[in-house]
């Protein structure tokens, strides 16, 4: 029996029963990262991407992704923040590798959307950071998250996900160097309609969420909070925030679920003004 068949059986026996959040939470939580991605090439930048890091005994640990929406504001997932000690949280911008110095800012506060329910809805938060990032439009810049018409992204739209994510459908013991790359990963696939998403096992998905799916690719632990981006005539625009999926990552039968940014653009804007 080949690897695809084994993974398919694993998804049926585990994934259809248990959902998993896509975060690498500190203090022993399961990590999640991109499956089926490739290294961002040397010298190339994903300038809106940041690494959320938590100060542990062993040092600073990457646990989630995020995106720059203003020099002093970061957009991420609510489940990346809930219950964490803000004084131990920081963000690093302008990096390709997690071993790079980049530009580090302390997280001062995080605001979780008031209607957030884990694995249900409104999985987003805005971080306030200090010092504010120095945007240079090369290695560090903000990403557009609003569309003039509040466009509802349906199925069949090409999208790109970036993150420092697990490259395999499940983590293998003692293979952290393979499981968890230090280099930023990038992967492209397509959105699917919410009806398709429900039929593929995500029965509780709502219009506040957006789904995407591709063969042996997708979000996994450590990717949570990171940006799902589509290209427009005016440049990249963030349409989703990595939220959750099934236990086994990156199988075609298992869509990834993202917070639909357009639904919450006004709330995000209000956090930038506060």
């Amino acid at each position: 029996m080949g690897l695809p068949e084994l993974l398919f059986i694993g998804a049926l026996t585990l994934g259809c029963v248990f959902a998993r959040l896509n975060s690498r939470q500190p203090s022993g939580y399961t990590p999640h990262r991109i499956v089926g991605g490739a290294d961002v090439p040397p010298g190339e930048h994903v300038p809106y991407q940041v690494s959320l890091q938590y100060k542990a005994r062993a040092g600073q640990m990457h646990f989630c992704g995020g995106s720059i929406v203003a020099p002093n504001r970061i957009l991420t997932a609510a489940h990346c923040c809930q219950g964490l000690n803000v004084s131990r949280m920081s963000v690093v911008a302008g990096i390709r590798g997690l071993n790079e110095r980049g530009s580090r800012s302390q997280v001062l506060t995080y605001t979780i959307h008031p209607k957030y329910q884990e694995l249900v809805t409104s999985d987003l938060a805005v971080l306030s950071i200090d010092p504010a990032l120095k945007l240079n439009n090369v290695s560090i810049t903000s990403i557009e998250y609003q569309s003039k018409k509040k466009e509802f992204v349906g199925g069949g739209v090409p999208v790109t996900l970036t993150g420092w994510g697990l490259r395999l459908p499940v983590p293998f013991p003692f293979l952290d160097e393979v499981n968890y790359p230090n280099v930023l990963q990038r992967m492209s696939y397509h959105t699917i309609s919410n009806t398709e998403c429900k039929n593929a096992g995500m029965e509780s998905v709502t219009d506040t969420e957006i789904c995407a799916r591709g063969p042996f690719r997708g979000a996994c632990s450590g990717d949570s909070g990171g940006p799902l981006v589509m290209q427009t005539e005016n440049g990249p625009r963030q349409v989703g925030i990595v939220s959750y999926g099934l236990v086994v990552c990156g199988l075609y039968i298992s869509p990834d679920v993202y917070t639909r940014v357009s639904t919450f653009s006004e709330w995000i804007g209000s956090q930038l003004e506060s």
Side-chain angles (χ1 to χ4, degrees):
M1 184 178 294
L3 178 61
E5 290 83 0
L6 288 171
L7 294 176
F8 182 83
I9 292 172
L12 290 179
T13 56
L14 293 175
C16 293
V17 179
F18 302 107
R20 46 100 184 135
L21 294 166
N22 282 322
S23 60
R24 186 182 186 183
Q25 291 282 17
S27 305
Y29 286 79
T30 303
H32 304 271
R33 304 191 171 191
I34 288 177
V35 174
D39 291 359
V40 171
E44 190 173 330
H45 302 283
V46 182
Y48 49 81
Q49 174 84 43
V50 300
S51 166
L52 269 62
Q53 300 191 1
Y54 200 77
K55 189 175 183 180
R57 289 183 179 179
Q60 299 287 348
M61 183 189 85
H62 168 84
F63 68 97
C64 274
S67 57
I68 304 168
V69 289
N72 63 344
R73 295 289 191 276
I74 303 297
L75 182 62
T76 189
H79 75 264
C80 287
C81 305
Q82 192 170 46
L84 295 189
N85 183 342
V86 69
S87 68
R88 298 170 68 180
M89 296 171 65
S90 61
V91 303
V92 182
I95 59 172
R96 172 177 170 266
L98 291 175
N99 57 349
E100 297 174 17
R101 184 178 180 87
S103 179
R104 185 181 297 274
S105 295
Q106 175 66 38
V107 177
L108 300 179
T109 62
Y110 56 76
T111 303
I112 292 173
H113 193 278
K115 293 186 178 180
Y116 168 59
Q117 295 181 56
E118 186 175 293
L119 300 174
V120 178
T121 187
S122 309
D123 188 7
L124 74 160
V126 173
L127 312 179
S128 174
I129 61 173
D130 183 67
L133 297 170
K134 295 180 180 179
L135 308 186
N136 56 27
N137 295 322
V138 178
S139 61
I140 303 176
T141 194
S142 59
I143 187 166
E144 181 59 59
Y145 65 91
Q146 294 178 308
S147 61
K148 293 181 179 178
K149 299 180 181 179
K150 283 193 175 180
E151 179 183 2
F152 186 92
V153 177
V157 177
V159 286
T160 299
L161 171 65
T162 48
W164 287 273
L166 179 65
R167 293 186 289 193
L168 305 171
V170 292
F172 289 92
F174 315 114
L175 292 176
D176 276 3
E177 291 298 319
V178 176
N179 289 336
Y180 304 118
N182 280 318
V183 176
L184 184 63
Q185 302 289 291
R186 180 166 55 201
M187 178 274 298
S188 295
Y189 55 176
H190 289 76
T191 62
I192 60 174
S193 70
N194 281 24
T195 299
E196 290 177 280
C197 196
K198 291 177 181 179
N199 292 339
M202 300 302 186
E203 297 177 358
S204 62
V205 73
T206 72
D207 285 346
T208 68
E209 296 162 321
I210 185 171
C211 298
R213 182 173 64 181
F216 297 101
R217 59 185 58 205
C220 205
S221 25
D223 290 322
S224 272
L228 184 73
V229 171
M230 66 176 288
Q231 290 295 326
T232 73
E233 58 184 14
N234 297 318
R237 185 174 80 241
Q238 184 171 352
V239 296
I241 303 167
V242 180
S243 184
Y244 66 92
L246 297 183
V247 168
V248 181
C249 308
L251 297 184
Y252 187 75
I253 61 170
S254 171
D256 297 320
V257 180
Y258 297 81
T259 301
R260 188 180 293 274
V261 170
S262 61
T263 303
F264 302 98
S265 59
E266 291 182 1
W267 182 81
I268 296 169
S270 71
Q271 299 305 307
L272 270 57
E273 296 171 0
S274 62

